[in-house]
Amino acid sequence: MAWNVVVVGGGFGGYNAVRTIEKKFSEEAVKVTLVSEQNYLLYTPFLPEAAAGTLEPRHVVTPLRDLLHGSRLALGSMTGLDVGRKVVQVRNEEGDPVELRYDRLVLSPGSVSRTLPIPGLAEHGAQFKSLADAIWLRNHVIRSLELAETVRDPRRLDELLTFVFVGGGYAGLEALAELQDFATDALEMYPAAREHGMRWMLVEAADRVLRELDPKLAEYTVRELRKRGIDVRLDTQLREVTATDILLSTGERVETRTLVWTAGVKPSPLVADLGLPLDETGRIVVDAEMRVEGAEDIWAIGDAAAVPNPIDPERSSPPTAQHARRQGIAAGLNVAASLGKGRAKPYSYKDRGSFVNLGRYKAVAMTGKLRVRGPLAWWMARTYHVSQIASFSRKLRAVIDWTVSLPFGRDVSEVGSIGHPRRLDGSLTNASQSQSQSRADQK
Ligand SMILES: Cc1cc2nc3c(=O)[nH]c(=O)nc-3n(C[C@H](O)[C@H](O)[C@H](O)COP(=O)(O)OP(=O)(O)OC[C@H]3O[C@@H](n4cnc5c(N)ncnc54)[C@H](O)[C@@H]3O)c2cc1C
């Protein structure tokens, strides 16, 4: 009889766990089911480039059905866990409950944005976690530039042409840098906005950015951003957000209609409901082999798990794709070992270098003692990321996108209506209705 292995979460951790197990066993010996909310793997390091338009949005995702070899994909959300009956409860796209029996279970549901109870943040802040967020932000920046061409009131121009990002982690910093670079190039086509000038601001509560990375690379990045005219505020907190301005802990009010909140992540809310042990940050407690404490047949990895960091065993691994991917492979090998193939090993990690993309042909990179910036760092980052993309066709498409964008200017088409068609009677579909309603509410 075949073993049933269930993996939850089709991101960096879950996908790599599935592929590792698939390679070890025949389909007859082990039936692997991947439970995923999307039918694609999202390469998050490329989201800022999808927002800036240097990469076509569909080229930053790869269909999971192309990537899996013999495993089953169950599209839906895990809603519960019955450890006694060894069953994972799932809801499919239509809301129907489905039960999946497991002999071995790997949990990798990732993280969500960590917000704070700041007045107005939930209503007026945007996040930057998904492909939908990236596409929305790009369209929003273009819409703001377009609107600015039709406005004369200097205060409204300030609101439209000021873009504030809160949180100096990977996601916020790269998104800010890419979009500022995009908007600076695009300004050529917007005379009124060019005359008034744009303002881009990064607000970070700590005294440094990129806490996951070496402090020297972080300092280097801040210097680079400031050189480009980005207003980087360290040791500064966001206190209040309205539809047209924000209040900072320095007492300063900044007129803006764009507040992007990227101040950290917390584990997927799913993990709080599973009855598994959690650490003080809400991540699932696992041992060095990524086995959940007290649960023999369950492993947890990625942003949702507190995996001891091999480089610094006092702490958990930081929530990065580099860790999630390698934990996926290591957990896959340990699951295989529990089914009789190989020996279980603790999670180990070797840093292969860090890169921060700062826009078209600009980046900072650190590998070993080497620190590089500018086009060479950008090229090193490209080479690294291309090597990490799961499918050959997506590698090729990314390289083609970069090459094709070389000789051309920025594309400023605003295509926010994609996926929101009008009905035959001219009314908006539900999705577009709620979008335009929330925009109207903001005014
Ligand atoms: C914009 C951005 C840029 C980033 N850049 C970098 C970078 O350059 N380098 C780096 O190392 N890291 C980067 N990261 C961080 C990196 O993306 C995460 O650390 C990594 O994705 C974590 O992997 P994971 O498998 O834990 O979660 P994810 O990759 O997020 O995958 C989790 C999956 O589980 C699914 N899921 C959640 N709940 C359920 C449920 N109940 N049922 C079924 N499925 C569920 C989610 O939909 C998702 O598909 C970036 C993140 C962002 C947002």
Side-chain angles (χ1 to χ4, degrees), residues 198-247:
M198 288 188 301
R199 186 177 182 191
W200 290 77
M201 182 185 269
L202 176 68
V203 177
E204 166 58 53
D207 59 0
R208 59 163 291 190
V209 297
L210 297 169
R211 264 174 284 186
E212 307 91 351
L213 300 187
D214 186 290
K216 290 203 180 80
L217 187 68
E219 284 163 22
Y220 201 46
T221 308
V222 168
R223 275 205 302 278
E224 203 58 36
L225 293 178
R226 285 186 170 143
K227 246 196 251 166
R228 281 166 51 174
I230 296 172
D231 186 358
V232 181
R233 305 289 184 95
L234 303 177
D235 288 315
T236 307
Q237 289 150 23
L238 179 72
R239 286 282 152 78
E240 196 194 339
V241 193
T242 75
T244 54
D245 68 6
I246 58 164
L247 175 65

Side-chain angles (χ1 to χ4, degrees), residues 35-356:
V35 180
S36 178
E37 288 177 329
Q38 298 89 21
N39 78 344
Y40 55 76
L41 171 68
L42 169 65
Y43 193 74
T44 51
F46 282 168
L47 267 188
E49 291 192 54
T54 24
L55 285 177
E56 171 66 32
R58 261 184 316 114
H59 297 168
V60 306
V61 300
T62 314
L64 282 165
R65 289 189 189 277
D66 271 359
L67 296 173
L68 302 182
H69 297 281
S71 298
R72 203 182 135 227
L73 176 64
L75 208 63
S77 273
M78 177 178 177
T79 52
L81 172 66
D82 186 333
V83 178
R85 287 169 53 228
K86 289 192 157 194
V87 158
V88 167
Q89 286 134 2
V90 176
R91 272 197 194 280
N92 73 7
E93 291 271 280
E94 302 241 282
D96 304 325
V98 180
E99 288 203 332
L100 298 173
R101 219 187 60 71
Y102 67 84
D103 298 298
R104 303 289 185 270
L105 171 64
V106 181
L107 296 170
S108 187
S111 55
V112 295
S113 296
R114 178 169 48 84
T115 54
L116 296 173
I118 294 171
L121 177 60
E123 299 93 298
H124 305 295
Q127 60 176 339
F128 197 76
K129 279 285 281 173
S130 67
L131 193 56
D133 299 334
I135 295 170
W136 179 86
L137 194 54
R138 171 185 169 77
N139 289 324
H140 172 79
V141 170
I142 298 171
R143 237 175 0 243
S144 302
L145 292 171
E146 294 291 354
L147 246 174
E149 293 300 300
T150 63
V151 167
R152 293 288 164 264
D153 174 14
R155 192 190 152 106
R156 275 190 75 197
L157 282 169
D158 280 348
E159 289 168 13
L160 288 167
L161 297 172
T162 303
F163 305 92
V164 182
F165 285 65
V166 180
Y170 262 122
L173 210 140
E174 292 193 336
L176 162 72
E178 285 280 359
L179 278 160
Q180 189 256 3
D181 198 48
F182 162 73
T184 306
D185 284 357
L187 222 50
E188 281 281 298
M189 288 174 258
Y190 295 91
R194 197 169 60 238
E195 197 187 319
H196 184 82
M198 288 188 301
R199 186 177 182 191
W200 290 77
M201 182 185 269
L202 176 68
V203 177
E204 166 58 53
D207 59 0
R208 59 163 291 190
V209 297
L210 297 169
R211 264 174 284 186
E212 307 91 351
L213 300 187
D214 186 290
K216 290 203 180 80
L217 187 68
E219 284 163 22
Y220 201 46
T221 308
V222 168
R223 275 205 302 278
E224 203 58 36
L225 293 178
R226 285 186 170 143
K227 246 196 251 166
R228 281 166 51 174
I230 296 172
D231 186 358
V232 181
R233 305 289 184 95
L234 303 177
D235 288 315
T236 307
Q237 289 150 23
L238 179 72
R239 286 282 152 78
E240 196 194 339
V241 193
T242 75
T244 54
D245 68 6
I246 58 164
L247 175 65
L248 300 177
S249 54
T250 52
E252 189 183 349
R253 273 204 180 269
V254 178
E255 266 102 45
T256 182
R257 294 198 199 181
T258 311
L259 188 281
V260 187
W261 178 263
T262 55
V265 293
K266 63 179 184 187
S268 155
L270 168 74
V271 305
D273 299 329
L274 302 181
L276 300 175
L278 304 179
D279 75 353
E280 64 291 349
T281 64
R283 299 210 272 179
I284 302 173
V285 178
V286 296
D287 63 18
E289 291 174 12
M290 292 157 294
R291 250 194 170 117
V292 177
E293 225 174 63
E296 266 293 285
D297 303 321
I298 309 179
W299 287 255
I301 54 176
D303 288 5
V307 179
N309 188 348
I311 295 172
D312 181 3
E314 295 296 301
R315 292 164 191 254
S316 305
S317 308
T320 65
Q322 300 210 20
H323 277 282
R325 180 178 165 272
R326 287 167 211 180
Q327 287 166 9
I329 295 168
L333 290 173
N334 288 351
V335 168
S338 78
L339 297 175
K341 281 251 168 100
R343 279 196 20 237
K345 284 193 197 140
Y347 170 57
S348 64
Y349 176 83
K350 194 162 172 286
D351 190 9
R352 303 237 173 92
S354 308
F355 309 95
V356 185

